[in-house]
Each structure stands twice: as C-alpha cells, then as structure tokens.
Amino acid sequence: MKKYFIINGDVYIQHQFEKVSLLLEDGKLRICRDSALPADCEVIDAAGRKVVPGFLDVHTHGAVGVDVNGASSEDLKKIGRFFAGNGTTSWLASVLTDTKEQTERCIDQYLQLDQSDADAAQLLGIHLEGPFLSSEYKGAMPEHLLQGSDIDLAGEYQKRAKGNIRYITVSPEIEGMVEMIPKLKALGITVAIGHSGADYKTSMAAIEAGADCCTHTFNAMRLLHQHEPAILGAALETDIYCEMICDGLHLHPGIVRLLLKTKGLGRVVAITDSIMAAGLPDGRYHLGVNEVIVKDGDAKLASDGTRAGSTLTQIRALRNLKKFTGYPLEELLPLFTENPARLIGVYDRKGSIADGKDADLVLLTENLDIDRVFLRGNAFKKEGCSASGTGHMHLSL
C-alpha cells in the first residue's frame, strides 16, 4: 500500500486545529510533530486546507439512483463512491421497513459486498428503521408492514447478518418494546427511538432501558407540549444522542440552533436520511415500496405528500450548519465524526485523527469545498465533480 505524508495543513486534533504532519501507512494514521520526512512517501502539501476526519453517516437510504432496499452489493459500492466524493468515508445502510424476505435480501447483499479495496466509503453495517414502529407516526413507512415487538425476529436478522446490524429505530409505545430494548442491546445493536407518539413516561422508560438516540429529532414524532413533554421532551431533557437532518427543510434554522443549544454539540449526530434521489435531478423515485416525487430537492411521498427522506449530502449539511449557526468549524465537526462514531461503537478506529486510527481523511478548502479524500489510507480517485451539485471537487489524484 502506498504511503502518504501530509504536510502544511491545519489538522483537526482534539477539537482544535494544529500545524502537524500526518503519515498514512498501512491504512492507519500517525501524527508527526517533527519535520523529518519518512522514507518512500508521496508528499501531499495541504497548505491552506483543513485536514479533518472523514464523515460518518449512520442514517441513509441511498443515493445516485440506488435504493438500499433494492440494492445489490455492487449498487451499495456505487452509493459508497458517491458518499466518498462528498466527504463521507463510513456509513450504515438504512433498511426501510419491508417484508421479511426483502429485509433478508438486503442483509445478504451487505454480506456479499467486497470492501477489500478502499475505493468507496466503508459500509460499517446495517441500520434497521423498523419494522417495530407505531403506525401513528409512520412517516414514509409502509403501514401494512409494521410489526409489534418481536425479539425473535430481531435475533433472526442479527444472526443472518453475522452481527452486522449495528443500529435500529423502534417506537417505545409498542407493547413489550421497553422490555425488548435491553435484549436488542444484548444482540449488539444500538437502539434509537422514533416514529413515535410515545408519552413522556414511556419514552423515559425506554431511555432508562438503554435507548441511546432519537431518530431524526422533531420529525415523525409527537412534539413537545408544556403539559405533556412526550417523546421529544424526553429526548431533549436526557443525555441521549439526537439525529438531525440539516437540509433546511426538515428543520427550520431556528430549530437547528435550539437543538444544538439544548443538547450541546457533543450529543447531536448529523445524518442525511438521503434517498436514491441524492445527487440526481428532480423527478420520480422510490423509497422501499413507496413512490416518491422530488421537487426543488424536496422528497415527498406521491400518495399523500409526506416528506420521505432527503436529497442531502453531509458536506452540504456541514455548510448549512455553518450558515445557520455561525459556529466555528471545529465546534461543528464532531456532529459528523466523533458523535456518530461513539454512538455506534466504532470510535476506537473512526471519528477522529489519532495515532493508530483508520486513515479516513477529508481535506477542505476555506469555502468548505472538498479538495481530497483518503479512504483507509488510499487516495480516493474520482474524475470531475461529485453529483452533489457543488461543482468544487478536485479529486483526480
């Protein structure tokens, strides 16, 4: 494997930028604080660039014409290449509530994916968004496929996935769900609550039982009321993580600022919840079994106009956050790196720049355009621009 030595960049280490060099060798990182050039390295001059950890998206249903629920293993690689071009170096494939047979097919395609060559964002596992969800706040979920709590089914899925289901969204108010949460965690699955009209007491019980996150906070859930805080009040009050879709459509900029002020920058996870339309023009698409119409970048169900995922990329979300909040870059980066890595238990190798961690890096310009991407120590090669519509990529390395 080729070695790289990155010099002259502003490197993001422990929540601040430092002038240090980085050695990328055997897919791992090493911080070099002296000026000695290791032997046999290609030198990358990162002057004028911010060198940051690769982004991690724990909630996405697809991109560039590929829907996760219908994707082949090669299709998953196609999504991963698009993500890499937009700064996302690791991700979870979010499987929308579907039939048992189709869910198992999704699992099988994940297992068949060849990730031996680092030429796409690394798929770290599977996120099941359902099927244990309430019909009241189903959002884009097909109601006829929603189910009650069933730990045996979850166990079947995890066994078939060989332990690679990392994350699941459930509705706390479903009978038996609070009691099921510790059992899901025992299977190695991080639990999020969402798509829910749960009351405050039930939501708090789910959190006390081990739920660690709230799915696309404020969306597809019972909202806050001063006499009945409900699931949103429980999510805001406690220390669980809160997913946030920062496309300017799912959340008003004022709500983005409120969520960050309420939760703190260390407890919010920036997701895209993107669908197959990400990176493509307006038109007709699908999300699982649903037909979706995208107009002006806004994805909605053809049947009733319910918002159905997004066309967002994480680099666009970062720019939006900067615009909406005015916060410095160093304060916003954990939402895309450290926080999601901690949430799904991969912070030992992802989510920050530190000795021995995976060499997943993004080099950003002053305007937050992507200059270069490294995937597990490999320079990501992509001709021309990303499909995100930004027109500012220079990744022909």
Side-chain angles (χ1 to χ4, degrees):
M1 179 181 286
K2 197 170 185 178
K3 292 195 294 186
Y4 294 93
F5 194 58
I6 299 177
I7 62 172
N8 297 328
D10 295 309
V11 182
Y12 186 68
I13 299 174
Q14 296 183 345
H15 303 158
Q16 60 185 5
F17 288 102
E18 297 184 36
K19 285 287 189 184
V20 297
S21 299
L22 295 176
L23 176 64
L24 283 57
E25 184 176 14
D26 296 327
K28 301 296 181 181
L29 287 168
R30 196 176 88 208
I31 299 170
C32 303
R33 298 185 183 277
D34 57 45
S35 58
L37 174 64
D40 304 321
C41 288
E42 178 176 331
V43 177
I44 305 294
D45 189 347
R49 302 292 184 257
K50 304 291 187 184
V51 184
V52 306
F55 308 150
L56 200 167
D57 193 354
V58 299
H59 189 159
T60 168
H61 298 278
V64 285
V66 179
D67 177 65
V68 165
N69 279 54
S72 67
S73 57
E74 282 304 308
D75 289 333
L76 294 173
K77 179 67 73 73
K78 184 179 178 182
I79 296 173
R81 284 190 58 78
F82 173 75
F83 284 167
N86 285 277
T88 300
T89 58
S90 303
W91 62 295
L92 296 183
S94 297
V95 178
L96 193 83
T97 295
D98 213 319
T99 64
K100 185 173 188 288
E101 294 73 23
Q102 192 65 18
T103 301
E104 288 175 340
R105 180 194 174 277
C106 293
I107 291 170
D108 293 345
Q109 292 304 309
Y110 165 80
L111 293 175
Q112 292 172 26
L113 177 62
D114 181 5
Q115 300 195 85
S116 57
D117 294 324
D119 59 351
Q122 186 175 13
L123 184 49
L124 298 177
I126 295 167
H127 165 218
L128 294 180
E129 192 170 11
F132 315 118
L133 298 176
S134 166
S135 61
E136 183 184 9
Y137 288 86
K138 67 184 188 318
M141 298 294 154
E143 186 169 3
H144 68 287
L145 295 175
L146 299 177
Q147 299 185 34
S149 58
D150 188 343
I151 190 60
D152 291 335
L153 179 60
E156 279 186 55
Y157 285 156
Q158 185 65 310
K159 182 177 180 181
R160 192 179 188 104
K162 299 181 180 179
N164 284 291
I165 296 172
R166 289 190 172 272
Y167 193 40
I168 190 169
T169 300
V170 302
S171 299
E173 67 269 37
I174 291 177
E175 185 176 355
M177 183 52 65
V178 170
E179 293 77 17
M180 184 171 153
I181 289 173
K183 298 174 184 177
L184 288 168
K185 291 176 69 70
L187 291 173
I189 305 174
T190 298
V191 178
I193 53 175
H195 284 278
S196 171
D199 61 24
Y200 177 79
K201 181 178 179 181
T202 304
S203 302
M204 291 296 283
I207 293 168
E208 290 166 3
D212 289 311
C213 192
C214 179
T215 294
H216 42 54
T217 312
F218 285 95
N219 289 278
M221 66 178 55
R222 188 176 173 187
L223 297 179
L224 183 70
H225 187 278
Q226 70 270 25
H227 297 146
E228 175 44 68
I231 181 174
L232 178 58
L236 295 178
E237 178 188 350
T238 59
D239 288 334
I240 65 169
Y241 288 95
C242 282
E243 290 183 357
M244 177 172 66
I245 308 171
C246 196
D247 60 355
L249 299 168
H250 284 79
L251 299 174
H252 184 279
I255 294 295
V256 169
R257 293 188 290 270
L258 176 64
L259 181 57
L260 291 176
K261 183 168 283 192
T262 304
K263 295 298 297 184
L265 292 158
R267 307 307 290 181
V268 177
V269 173
I271 63 162
T272 62
D273 199 10
S274 65
I275 66 169
M276 66 187 303
L280 297 176
D282 288 354
R284 287 183 173 268
Y285 299 94
H286 61 88
L287 173 61
V289 300
N290 300 304
E291 185 179 5
V292 176
I293 297 174
V294 177
K295 183 178 179 181
D296 298 326
D298 194 3
K300 295 182 178 180
L301 293 184
S303 58
D304 62 8
T306 299
R307 186 160 281 127
S310 84
T311 59
L312 189 63
T313 61
Q314 285 195 300
I315 187 61
R316 267 181 46 214
L318 179 60
R319 295 189 195 112
N320 287 342
L321 271 169
K322 192 79 174 65
K323 177 182 177 182
F324 294 165
T325 69
Y327 290 176
L329 180 62
E330 53 265 40
E331 292 186 9
L332 296 174
L333 284 170
L335 280 66
F336 298 82
T337 57
E338 178 180 341
N339 298 353
R342 289 188 184 278
L343 172 63
I344 64 167
V346 296
Y347 188 65
D348 60 324
R349 55 195 173 97
K350 304 285 185 182
S352 69
I353 295 175
D355 289 341
K357 287 204 172 185
D358 291 353
D360 295 330
L361 299 173
V362 180
L363 275 61
L364 298 173
T365 69
E366 184 78 16
N367 295 324
L368 299 185
D369 294 322
I370 295 173
D371 180 59
R372 293 175 184 256
V373 175
F374 291 88
L375 304 171
R376 282 96 74 207
N378 290 273
F380 176 65
K381 297 178 174 62
K382 177 169 179 145
E383 297 297 328
C385 301
S386 80
S388 64
T390 63
H392 289 287
M393 285 187 61
H394 308 283
L395 293 175
S396 301
L397 306 180

